[in-house]
Amino acid sequence: MRGLRYPMMLALVWALAWPMLALAQAAPVASLDRSRIGMGETVTLNIEVGEGDADTPDLSPLSADFVVLGTSTNHSLSIVNGRREAHAILGIALRPRREGHLTVPSLVIGSQKTQPLELDVEAAGHDAPSNADAPVQLEAKVDPAQAYVGQQIDYTLRLYFTNLADGNLGDPTAEGAEVRRVGQDANYQTMRGNRRFNVVERHYAIFPQRAGTLDVQPPAFQGTVVDPNDMGAFFGSGSPVSAVAEKLRVEVRGRPAGAADGAWIPARALKLALDGLPADGKAVVGQPLTLTMRLDAVGMPYEALPALSLPKLDGADIYPDKAVTGGSTNGSWVTGRRQQSFAVVPTRAGTLHIPETTLHWWNVVTDKAEVATIPAHDLDVSPGSGAAGTKPAPPSASAPTAPSSAPPAVTATGHPWQWLFIGMALLWVLTLVAWWLASRRRPVVATTSLPVPPPLRDGPARDAFMQAAGQGDAASIERALLAWAKVHRPDVRSLGGLSVLLREGPQRDAIAMVQRARFGGGALQGITLKDAFANGFDWMSVASGGEDVLPPLYPR
């Protein structure tokens, strides 16, 4: 034991130190707060490093194309699931020396290098704006000026100011669209006319919900400025100032005729992948495989992405896990993510064919329909190990008796634990006999059935849905249908989640029709909706019954 103590202690120390060593050795990640700026403006180079590599790198490679204005360092520490994660962000303010397409070179930090970055520097405008002398200016722009229903519109807001003491900046609004703030504010400087301004740049993601003209109502700014030449102004209230951005208009188009049926996904980029397939292409009957399907769409929120599913497999059972959703930002664009895991259990030996999976989406950059594909896969499934075993044949009575080599009978002085085991076994047998005798003497009591819960009263919710279906408003139909479904399934949150719980057939088709009308401007047929749900919900069957029914391997 003494010989094993020190190797075990070394292994424990290594296991505890490994996360910190891995973090310290992680490659630094460099990024720019903007990829396109004007001549005379500043840009911030952010370098994320491990806690042990927070030293300022050699900045001399930057001097060829940039002026280094200053540096800053921010530290952060987080503990997730018991794992300590510490890192630092080095901020380097740069001003380009020339116009054109510039490359921020790699910087050396310790024994590692950052990746080079691309930056476009545009020529500064020579015509100063009419309000160039104002101490505060607020400007806005949208990209693109024409968009599809559900497509992200980037709304950029820039606040120009000098000698600002305080202020409050509002948010834009748009009727018939969802507006959400994206990322962190960017701070830099620029020249307008003959004056240098500080700039706060903020981005919003706007998702139009219907076709037509979308008017984006501008935000307003209110603040206080001080005169740098008046020393007393710093101790007083200063002068109040305000600014309002211009009103912008976006033309929103409906779903194009060339789009495929199904979910409407207008994205800038999309990736569909399936992980977890065995590298050797082999599986075993009864042993589950965990396959994970992941969908990433740039320019789409995760709430608008469709539910992921595997096609029905011949020779295997599929048990879906709970979906994982989330989002991130890449510059000013939202990236929605949906991830779904499946436990695939082969039920027979042979070849398990996993068909090709496709997802139709619309590329808003090229304005064309595209298809994301997961190729088909074949797995070689071998029988389970339990099927190959055979029971040994009992010894024949006519076989000659071999000389006994069994050990002699155990005496009380040999192994006391064996006698203890025999005593406990006898006590268990006596307990069973006593219970059997007591049960025979127990008087017979008439069995009564358990009280049956009252049926769900979904009449008002059903009537509200039928009334909404007759009016033909997609939003009202969606709310009424979800309210009715929650009477039976309180965990239903969306039409997509409701559709997954229903059988293939008219009800799923009706829900798809409502979604097309809701987001693509399609037509609604109230009679079809009423007919589809006339007899209530057609839920997918779930295994139920008495005590003989085994619970599912992966319960919903």
Side-chain angles (χ1 to χ4, degrees), residues 295-499:
L295 173 62
D296 295 274
V298 179
M300 290 286 293
Y302 71 88
E303 299 92 341
L305 299 180
L308 302 177
S309 62
L310 282 177
K312 190 173 182 180
L313 303 181
D314 185 13
D317 293 331
I318 303 176
Y319 302 92
D321 199 355
K322 184 178 180 180
V324 178
T325 57
S328 60
T329 57
N330 182 11
S332 57
W333 302 105
V334 172
T335 299
R337 180 176 300 109
R338 180 176 288 272
Q339 182 173 306
Q340 179 72 62
S341 296
F342 306 89
V344 179
V345 184
T347 57
R348 66 167 181 262
T351 299
L352 176 60
H353 179 69
I354 301 178
E356 179 184 78
T357 301
T358 59
L359 179 64
H360 295 266
W361 63 287
W362 191 269
N363 191 327
V364 297
V365 178
T366 61
D367 200 20
K368 294 181 180 179
E370 295 194 16
V371 181
T373 304
I374 298 177
H377 293 82
D378 288 334
L379 300 179
D380 184 12
V381 182
S382 58
S385 59
T390 57
K391 294 182 179 180
S396 174
S398 60
T401 304
S404 175
S405 60
V410 179
T411 62
T413 58
H415 300 283
W417 62 269
Q418 294 185 359
W419 291 102
L420 180 61
F421 173 75
I422 294 174
M424 294 180 64
L426 292 175
L427 181 61
W428 178 70
V429 172
L430 292 176
T431 302
L432 290 179
V433 173
W435 173 82
W436 180 69
L437 293 175
S439 63
R440 294 191 62 183
R441 298 194 186 107
R442 189 177 302 164
V444 178
V445 180
T447 59
T448 58
S449 60
L450 294 176
V452 178
L456 295 173
R457 298 181 177 178
D458 61 349
R462 179 183 181 278
D463 295 340
F465 166 73
M466 292 300 178
Q467 182 178 0
Q471 296 175 353
D473 181 64
S476 301
I477 292 174
E478 178 182 3
R479 289 192 298 268
L481 184 58
L482 289 178
W484 183 17
K486 288 180 179 180
V487 176
H488 300 267
R489 302 289 180 89
D491 57 339
V492 174
R493 293 293 183 270
S494 64
L495 289 183
L498 174 59
S499 179

Side-chain angles (χ1 to χ4, degrees), residues 200-225:
V200 175
E201 182 175 307
R202 182 177 297 178
H203 290 268
Y204 294 85
I206 300 179
F207 299 96
Q209 303 299 317
R210 60 171 180 257
T213 300
L214 178 66
D215 291 324
V216 183
Q217 301 299 328
F221 173 82
Q222 294 181 346
T224 305
V225 297

